[in-house]
Amino acid sequence: MIIKKLLFVALLIISIGHKLYAQSPFMFYITESGDHTDNKALAASYAVVEKLPGDSVWSVKQFNMRDIILTSGFFKDETLSVPTGKFIYYHKVDFSPDINYRANGIADTLNHIQTTGYFVDGEKSGVWTDYSFGRKTELHTYNKGRLNGLCQLYGNDGNVSLEGYYVNDHKEGEWCGLDAEGFVNFTDAYNKKGINIKHTNYLENNYRPPVMPFDLHTYLRKRTAGFKTPDHTGTLVLDLKISKDGVVTDVKVAQIVDTNFDELMVNAFMNSPKWKPATYKGQKVDSKFRLTFNIIDVIRPETIY
């Protein structure tokens, strides 16, 4: 990735001497292979580095030789070795004269944003999002540089097509493949080693599980507002009973994390909006549904640049 090139070039610049840092902002050229060069004719891009006033943070922006931005981000040190805060990666588009891509994309001149996310102390943290011409395609959650938390893939219609959770870089628990209406087409169950231990294809047996017709994460944020999540990590497992009318009639805690937090989550689902009920051969039926939540200590950047 481009950031790797920036880091590599930064180390080369350090070997040249700290005199480059005597003035801010300053610029250096980068070859196609990511090497530093003083010869503009050999450069494929260049980076502009500037120390933010009254702060120890250094801003870095990388451009191609037509002055189109490729990457923007921040580093904690003048050696550009510890990324911090928000990073944005762009994808250059060669526009066809008969297609107006810019009308559909998150555009910056001839670019569209490809990836956004945050670093904390040099490691990816929180939500990282990928885009294609302005359409969100993937969402991953990181904690201390490792995949930990929600992962979602999106279809061309913008709806979630695959959803599940990572724990320490491994898929864990139940991952769901969804159709355009939010119904589950299949599920894959993963153990703590990230091994797929069970695949269920609901299209083969004419059964469709119940579906939440509301955004779960937005709903839970509202229901748990002001409550401090447990300090320790763990996995909360809830077993729900949902009537053929879409009403949650019972919630049992199958795996405990924290008594107070567990009770809060049970109440949240007992009072949740109606679901789309499960169906079997086209008929609405009562059903059971298991939800797994991985409670992790996600470090959030205190300062967002």
Side-chain angles (χ1 to χ4, degrees), residues 147-164:
L147 285 166
N148 265 301
L150 178 67
C151 171
Q152 291 179 326
L153 305 185
Y154 301 86
N156 292 330
D157 57 3
N159 294 321
V160 177
S161 60
L162 181 67
E163 181 176 79

Side-chain angles (χ1 to χ4, degrees), residues 155-229:
N156 292 330
D157 57 3
N159 294 321
V160 177
S161 60
L162 181 67
E163 181 176 79
Y165 285 83
Y166 277 95
V167 177
N168 294 328
D169 287 333
H170 293 300
K171 291 180 178 180
E172 188 172 310
E174 188 174 80
W175 284 60
C176 298
L178 310 172
D179 66 14
E181 297 180 356
F183 286 103
V184 178
N185 285 337
F186 68 88
T187 60
D188 285 306
Y190 294 86
N191 63 16
K192 292 184 180 297
K193 295 182 179 180
I195 298 173
N196 190 331
I197 56 176
K198 183 180 180 181
H199 175 79
T200 304
N201 188 336
Y202 292 106
L203 296 180
E204 292 179 351
N205 58 17
N206 295 312
Y207 174 78
R208 287 183 178 273
V211 174
M212 290 170 281
F214 53 92
D215 185 82
L216 174 62
H217 305 287
T218 300
Y219 173 70
L220 290 181
R221 279 199 298 270
K222 291 180 180 179
R223 295 289 305 191
T224 59
F227 183 87
K228 186 179 184 300
T229 55

Side-chain angles (χ1 to χ4, degrees), residues 17-289:
H18 286 281
K19 63 181 180 180
L20 286 175
Y21 298 102
Q23 296 180 345
S24 174
F26 66 89
M27 182 185 75
F28 59 86
Y29 293 110
I30 307 169
T31 66
E32 185 66 37
S33 61
D35 298 323
H36 166 261
T37 180
D38 293 322
N39 189 342
K40 183 178 179 179
L42 299 177
S45 64
Y46 66 91
V48 177
V49 183
E50 182 177 10
K51 187 177 186 297
L52 298 185
D55 206 329
S56 60
V57 174
W58 294 75
S59 166
V60 178
K61 293 183 179 180
Q62 184 180 15
F63 301 84
N64 68 12
M65 299 308 290
R66 291 190 295 163
D67 301 323
I68 298 173
I69 193 166
L70 302 176
T71 309
S72 67
F74 302 87
F75 290 83
K76 294 186 71 172
D77 57 336
E78 65 181 23
T79 62
L80 311 184
S81 60
V82 184
T84 188
K86 186 175 183 178
F87 269 70
I88 303 176
Y89 301 92
Y90 298 82
H91 176 67
K92 185 178 75 67
V93 179
D94 293 321
F95 291 110
S96 171
D98 56 342
I99 299 178
N100 183 10
Y101 289 111
R102 273 182 281 186
N104 302 316
I106 301 176
D108 190 310
T109 63
L110 298 179
N111 279 7
H112 71 85
I113 292 175
Q114 186 175 44
T115 303
T116 63
Y118 291 86
F119 284 92
V120 174
D121 293 330
E123 297 180 318
K124 287 184 176 181
S125 183
V127 173
W128 280 70
T129 308
D130 293 335
Y131 300 89
S132 177
F133 296 104
R135 178 179 60 83
K136 186 159 60 173
T137 57
E138 297 184 21
L139 180 151
H140 295 86
T141 307
Y142 288 85
N143 181 33
K144 297 181 180 179
R146 306 184 73 177
L147 285 166
N148 265 301
L150 178 67
C151 171
Q152 291 179 326
L153 305 185
Y154 301 86
N156 292 330
D157 57 3
N159 294 321
V160 177
S161 60
L162 181 67
E163 181 176 79
Y165 285 83
Y166 277 95
V167 177
N168 294 328
D169 287 333
H170 293 300
K171 291 180 178 180
E172 188 172 310
E174 188 174 80
W175 284 60
C176 298
L178 310 172
D179 66 14
E181 297 180 356
F183 286 103
V184 178
N185 285 337
F186 68 88
T187 60
D188 285 306
Y190 294 86
N191 63 16
K192 292 184 180 297
K193 295 182 179 180
I195 298 173
N196 190 331
I197 56 176
K198 183 180 180 181
H199 175 79
T200 304
N201 188 336
Y202 292 106
L203 296 180
E204 292 179 351
N205 58 17
N206 295 312
Y207 174 78
R208 287 183 178 273
V211 174
M212 290 170 281
F214 53 92
D215 185 82
L216 174 62
H217 305 287
T218 300
Y219 173 70
L220 290 181
R221 279 199 298 270
K222 291 180 180 179
R223 295 289 305 191
T224 59
F227 183 87
K228 186 179 184 300
T229 55
D231 293 329
H232 55 279
T233 61
T235 302
L236 171 64
V237 180
L238 300 177
D239 287 330
L240 284 63
K241 289 184 179 180
I242 302 166
S243 73
K244 61 183 178 182
D245 296 320
V247 177
V248 177
T249 58
D250 188 47
V251 180
K252 299 292 186 185
V253 179
Q255 185 167 312
I256 298 172
V257 170
D258 174 90
T259 303
N260 293 330
F261 183 72
D262 297 349
E263 182 179 353
L264 184 68
M265 294 290 280
V266 168
N267 290 333
F269 281 102
M270 284 298 297
N271 293 281
S272 69
K274 281 191 174 183
W275 292 45
K276 291 181 181 178
T279 60
Y280 180 68
K281 294 184 177 180
Q283 300 297 314
K284 297 178 181 179
V285 295
D286 296 337
S287 61
K288 296 180 180 180
F289 194 78

